[in-house]
Amino acid sequence: MNKTELVHPVEGIRLAAAYAGIKNGVDESSAEGLLDVVLIEICEGASVAAVYTRNVFCAAPVLVAREHIESVTPRYLLINSGNANAGTGTAGLADAVACCEAVADAGTCSRREVLPFSTGVIGEPLPASRITSVIPDLLSQLDQSAWAEAAQGIMTTDTYSKISSQQFELDGERVTVTGIAKGSGMIRPDMATMLAYVATDAAVDEDVLQACLRDAMAASFNCITVDGDTSTNDACVLMATGRAHAAKITSTQGDTYHKLLIVVRAVCESLAQSIIHDGEGATKFITIEVVGGQDESECREVAYTVAQSPLVKTAFFASDPNWGRILAAVGCADIENLDVTGVSINLGDVCIVRAGERAADYTEELGQAVMQRNEIVVQISLGRGDAAAHVWTCDLSYDYVKINAEYRT
Amino acid sequence: MNKTELVHPVEGIRLAAAYAGIKNGVDESSAEGLLDVVLIEICEGASVAAVYTRNVFCAAPVLVAREHIESVTPRYLLINSGNANAGTGTAGLADAVACCEAVADAGTCSRREVLPFSTGVIGEPLPASRITSVIPDLLSQLDQSAWAEAAQGIMTTDTYSKISSQQFELDGERVTVTGIAKGSGMIRPDMATMLAYVATDAAVDEDVLQACLRDAMAASFNCITVDGDTSTNDACVLMATGRAHAAKITSTQGDTYHKLLIVVRAVCESLAQSIIHDGEGATKFITIEVVGGQDESECREVAYTVAQSPLVKTAFFASDPNWGRILAAVGCADIENLDVTGVSINLGDVCIVRAGERAADYTEELGQAVMQRNEIVVQISLGRGDAAAHVWTCDLSYDYVKINAEYRT
């Protein structure tokens, strides 16, 4: 989060975070355990939209949440960090349901009105009783302004919490959009667990809200993932409480929908970029921008192929303008009949490849100067159409290996 | 190379290696520069088969070699390491042709009878005059037993040279198969440059030899690559001099073809495994074996997805039995309608996942014991057919990052 950014509460949303001993480590400022269970309460009458992982080994909470949201609009989101409750079979399903039941019993709603989420190590049994034991405390501490605590409570290997908040006017009324997210190993984000919870006090029909979430994700969280959302636990939830005074948005065609989408998308983009900035071991923020493609899909294929190449990533880490690796990665992308003589590549404002070969005016010094920066844009022009796409990624450093080698130690 | 393995010369093949100052560094044993240009002479009447990269940005020498071999059977292979002559446009093509011409002029053959190969940094102009200046020396030093020097001369980031040699009987006559190879960053081998040169003194029709190369590669070099051979420079050449006394092999149906294929494949497998053992920063040799698939293609997709996951690779480096990462990688593979309850995973002889969830009898200690080994087999059973495939890979260590970050410094 941009530290100067204000976090605006969202009328109709209350949050609380607690320490249940699921996540290892201690908060150095308070010498207490790290927050690892979060409860989000959604007011009655709200609309809720959700998108989940496409990994076939999706985690138990994903299976439960998918089923619950089909029958009724949720009133509570229960999230734990430190344990993904994935690969845990029927016992994991029972644990996820038990956690929902504990919230339902104490919060006087039905079990199906609670959506469970988990993030952390895969394949370990969920310590459900530790979660259920803190639920009474969580319910009693629910607070409109506890967004920062909630953002901390969902963190795993994140080194800082991720919040974004914006306000805008709709029908002359002030409307708020506030969200939190957590990231993970960002070199292969399809393996990562990404969770994001975004709320607005706008009033929005549930199917329109689902479209808004889909449209916002396409330009944000899906630009940092490889092939959609394919970890075992990925989830993104968009809530609209309807407590603002603007009229209800009932169609994706109108002006009000687009105004809302712009702000929801901006909040999601900010969260997605925070995830990349905090990518495991990341020292650089890299935008791979592909233009001149025949369609968006081939632009994305090229962008992902470059963004995922360990050789490209280690060159960025070393600030080495080894642009041949970018060229080789473009050549590896799975697209049809690419004419290499139409391809140009810019590193920042320096043209490194023109018409498929090293630009005549390129010098190592020019490339080096761009590579020293912390934020680098690589623009690849395929020279065969008008479509474009971008992907945000980071470099591959020693610390990526360190973090992932020592994750469970 | 297995150090106790004998290298058998191949009648009709002579080799030489020289220092031309293209590759940085010094041979510590002799204080001389590293060998970086290799010439292989093929006797008249031989058959030659070759397979090249599918990367659309294929290097200049690949374009030239492909064109040359179409019109005539080659007499010389000229290989330099230290510079890939890729992304070098028309100047690169002219350089590759000039090198061939220098061999042709001095060796009294046509330019088209020379195939050029380059490996090393992409995008730098090839110092062709340094190569051409050593060609007279190379021609005068050609020797049947210089396989070891040739293997050294083609190395780039390899830490040791790779040779394999076997003899067998065909029609009661002794036949030899000897080969050399070089590897590269093996975590994303589609980005790597792999070169391999294998020769036999068997007599083989050229189209049969091409089939033999294709069949041998499918079980060897193609089991260590992601999607075929997609670096800018990958090439594999199989030569048959016909100098042994066995009858000429003119069909892929006969018994003699299969005898030859078995040995060529064994030599290629040995070279391919050496490349993985010497993978950049590799500390472990990992076999990903997928069984029970509907077809080989889906088994390969699963094997590659697991073998390429940085999270799986770092867990292997850390000897951490974080099997959840293997499970998540299987779930990410792009295959249709996988029923997770049919999936089982073994780590060595330890069952870690049974029917899609953690095996009841699995303990961390059992997994840990397997993870400590230097050679690990992961067997993944999809439980929905009889097809199988395997991929050889290595772990992702600090040294991978170090080698690739410092490659050009």
Side-chain angles (χ1 to χ4, degrees):
Chain A
M1 168 195 190
N2 186 322
K3 290 199 172 65
T4 59
E5 202 174 339
L6 273 175
V7 179
H8 310 287
V10 177
E11 189 99 11
I13 299 290
R14 299 196 302 162
L15 316 92
Y19 159 70
I22 302 165
K23 202 157 66 180
N24 294 329
V26 165
D27 183 336
E28 285 175 14
S29 62
S30 67
E32 286 176 4
L34 297 169
L35 296 172
D36 49 17
V37 184
V38 171
L39 190 66
I40 301 178
E41 182 197 62
I42 307 163
C43 66
E44 278 195 73
S47 297
V48 177
V51 173
Y52 301 99
T53 178
R54 291 185 213 140
N55 191 304
V56 294
F57 279 103
C58 59
V62 172
L63 291 171
V64 173
R66 265 194 198 136
E67 191 190 298
H68 283 188
I69 202 172
E70 264 180 29
S71 60
V72 62
T73 299
R75 293 292 318 282
Y76 292 99
L77 312 181
L78 177 67
I79 310 139
N80 75 272
S81 54
N83 183 308
N85 193 10
T88 45
T90 49
L93 286 171
D95 285 334
V97 168
C99 290
C100 293
E101 265 166 4
V103 175
D105 290 351
T108 61
C109 67
S110 90
R111 186 244 291 172
R112 295 183 161 269
E113 288 173 294
V114 184
L115 303 187
F117 301 88
S118 297
T119 175
V121 178
I122 296 175
E124 302 291 329
L126 185 74
S129 61
R130 293 196 197 169
I131 296 172
T132 55
S133 71
V134 298
I135 283 171
D137 278 353
L138 285 167
L139 281 164
S140 68
Q141 287 162 18
L142 285 167
D143 188 322
Q144 262 203 166
S145 44
W147 284 91
E149 291 80 359
Q152 278 173 33
I154 64 174
M155 287 164 61
T156 52
T157 55
D158 306 66
T159 65
Y160 52 82
S161 59
K162 293 150 187 84
I163 312 185
S164 180
S165 186
Q166 292 200 17
Q167 291 187 320
F168 67 110
E169 288 219 342
L170 210 59
D171 298 338
E173 301 289 342
R174 191 173 62 191
V175 170
T176 298
V177 179
T178 295
I180 58 175
K182 69 154 298 258
S184 183
M186 267 300 112
I187 187 159
R188 255 299 274 262
D190 62 324
M191 291 291 169
T193 293
M194 191 208 76
L195 297 176
Y197 304 93
V198 179
T200 177
D201 51 359
V204 191
D205 265 353
E206 211 147 84
D207 54 344
V208 174
L209 195 69
Q210 190 72 40
C212 182
L213 176 58
R214 191 192 56 226
D215 290 350
M217 284 195 66
S220 58
F221 298 117
N222 281 345
C223 289
I224 57 168
T225 65
V226 176
D227 46 353
D229 326 287
T230 54
S231 101
T232 55
N233 294 59
D234 279 355
C236 184
V237 179
L238 178 60
M239 301 157 266
T241 65
R243 294 289 177 92
H245 299 291
K248 191 163 197 172
I249 303 174
T250 55
S251 155
T252 58
Q253 298 307 313
D255 186 45
T256 51
Y257 172 77
H258 286 286
K259 280 191 173 160
L260 175 69
L261 174 60
I262 285 167
V263 179
V264 171
R265 190 165 56 200
V267 166
C268 289
E269 277 177 1
S270 165
L271 293 172
Q273 292 185 354
S274 289
I275 287 172
I276 290 296
H277 276 291
D278 194 22
E280 288 172 351
T283 73
K284 291 196 167 76
F285 182 94
I286 301 154
T287 302
I288 310 289
E289 201 174 283
V290 178
V291 303
Q294 286 175 350
D295 53 44
E296 197 186 317
S297 151
E298 74 173 28
C299 295
R300 286 168 73 90
E301 164 66 17
V302 171
Y304 286 138
T305 306
V306 174
Q308 286 187 102
S309 158
L311 292 174
V312 170
K313 283 173 176 294
T314 46
F316 276 108
F317 171 56
S319 298
D320 174 9
N322 190 335
W323 57 271
R325 292 184 181 175
I326 301 174
L327 191 83
V330 173
C332 274
D334 186 20
I335 71 175
E336 293 282 323
N337 303 319
L338 180 65
D339 175 8
V340 300
T341 64
V343 174
S344 299
I345 305 178
N346 274 42
L347 189 63
D349 44 4
V350 176
C351 181
I352 54 177
V353 171
R354 192 176 286 128
E357 57 186 273
R358 183 182 169 134
D361 51 355
Y362 174 72
T363 65
E364 191 85 358
E365 291 65 37
L366 290 171
Q368 188 69 57
V370 177
M371 275 301 204
Q372 295 296 344
R373 299 179 195 154
N374 293 326
E375 304 212 357
I376 299 171
V377 177
V378 179
Q379 192 188 64
I380 299 157
S381 173
L382 301 179
R384 60 186 206 160
D386 297 320
H390 67 272
V391 166
W392 294 311
T393 190
C394 58
D395 55 337
L396 171 55
S397 70
Y398 296 119
D399 279 353
Y400 174 85
V401 177
K402 185 176 164 67
I403 291 165
N404 283 297
E406 296 175 359
Y407 183 44
R408 305 201 309 168
T409 59
Chain B
M1 174 196 185
N2 186 324
K3 289 198 170 67
T4 59
E5 203 173 341
L6 274 175
V7 179
H8 309 286
V10 177
E11 188 101 10
I13 299 290
R14 297 194 304 162
L15 316 92
Y19 160 72
I22 302 165
K23 201 156 66 178
N24 294 328
V26 165
D27 183 335
E28 285 175 14
S29 62
S30 66
E32 287 177 3
L34 297 170
L35 297 172
D36 50 16
V37 185
V38 171
L39 189 66
I40 301 177
E41 183 196 60
I42 307 164
C43 65
E44 277 195 76
S47 298
V48 178
V51 173
Y52 301 99
T53 178
R54 291 183 213 141
N55 192 304
V56 295
F57 279 103
C58 58
V62 172
L63 292 170
V64 173
R66 265 194 198 136
E67 192 190 298
H68 283 189
I69 201 172
E70 263 179 30
S71 59
V72 62
T73 298
R75 293 292 316 282
Y76 292 97
L77 312 181
L78 176 67
I79 310 140
N80 76 272
S81 53
N83 184 308
N85 194 10
T88 45
T90 48
L93 286 171
D95 285 334
V97 168
C99 290
C100 293
E101 265 166 2
V103 175
D105 291 350
T108 61
C109 65
S110 92
R111 187 243 293 169
R112 295 184 162 270
E113 289 173 294
V114 184
L115 303 188
F117 301 87
S118 297
T119 175
V121 177
I122 297 175
E124 302 292 328
L126 184 75
S129 62
R130 293 197 197 169
I131 296 171
T132 55
S133 70
V134 298
I135 284 171
D137 280 351
L138 285 168
L139 280 164
S140 68
Q141 287 162 19
L142 285 167
D143 188 322
Q144 259 203 170
S145 46
W147 284 92
E149 291 79 359
Q152 278 173 32
I154 64 174
M155 286 165 59
T156 52
T157 56
D158 306 67
T159 65
Y160 52 83
S161 60
K162 292 152 187 80
I163 313 185
S164 180
S165 186
Q166 293 200 18
Q167 291 187 320
F168 67 110
E169 289 220 341
L170 209 58
D171 298 337
E173 300 289 341
R174 192 174 61 193
V175 171
T176 298
V177 179
T178 295
I180 58 175
K182 69 154 299 259
S184 184
M186 268 298 115
I187 186 158
R188 255 298 273 263
D190 62 324
M191 292 291 169
T193 293
M194 190 209 76
L195 297 176
Y197 304 94
V198 180
T200 178
D201 51 1
V204 191
D205 264 354
E206 210 148 84
D207 53 346
V208 174
L209 195 69
Q210 190 72 41
C212 182
L213 177 59
R214 192 192 56 226
D215 290 349
M217 284 195 68
S220 59
F221 299 117
N222 281 345
C223 288
I224 59 167
T225 66
V226 177
D227 45 354
D229 325 290
T230 55
S231 103
T232 55
N233 295 58
D234 279 356
C236 184
V237 179
L238 177 59
M239 302 157 266
T241 63
R243 294 290 177 92
H245 299 290
K248 192 164 196 172
I249 303 174
T250 55
S251 155
T252 58
Q253 297 308 314
D255 186 45
T256 52
Y257 172 76
H258 285 286
K259 279 191 176 160
L260 175 69
L261 174 59
I262 285 167
V263 179
V264 171
R265 191 165 57 199
V267 166
C268 289
E269 277 177 0
S270 166
L271 293 171
Q273 292 184 353
S274 288
I275 288 172
I276 290 296
H277 276 292
D278 195 23
E280 286 172 353
T283 73
K284 291 195 166 78
F285 182 92
I286 301 155
T287 302
I288 310 287
E289 200 176 283
V290 178
V291 301
Q294 286 175 350
D295 52 45
E296 195 185 317
S297 153
E298 75 173 28
C299 294
R300 286 169 74 90
E301 163 66 16
V302 171
Y304 287 139
T305 306
V306 174
Q308 285 187 102
S309 159
L311 291 175
V312 170
K313 283 173 175 297
T314 47
F316 276 108
F317 171 55
S319 299
D320 175 8
N322 190 336
W323 57 270
R325 292 183 180 172
I326 301 173
L327 191 80
V330 173
C332 274
D334 187 18
I335 70 174
E336 293 282 322
N337 303 320
L338 180 64
D339 175 7
V340 299
T341 64
V343 174
S344 299
I345 305 177
N346 275 41
L347 189 63
D349 44 5
V350 176
C351 180
I352 55 177
V353 171
R354 192 175 287 127
E357 56 186 273
R358 181 183 170 135
D361 50 354
Y362 174 71
T363 66
E364 192 85 358
E365 290 66 38
L366 290 171
Q368 188 68 59
V370 177
M371 276 300 203
Q372 296 296 345
R373 299 179 195 154
N374 293 327
E375 304 212 358
I376 299 171
V377 177
V378 179
Q379 192 190 64
I380 298 159
S381 173
L382 302 179
R384 59 186 205 159
D386 297 320
H390 67 271
V391 167
W392 295 309
T393 189
C394 58
D395 55 338
L396 170 56
S397 70
Y398 296 119
D399 279 355
Y400 174 87
V401 177
K402 185 176 164 69
I403 292 165
N404 284 297
E406 295 175 0
Y407 182 45
R408 303 201 311 169
T409 59

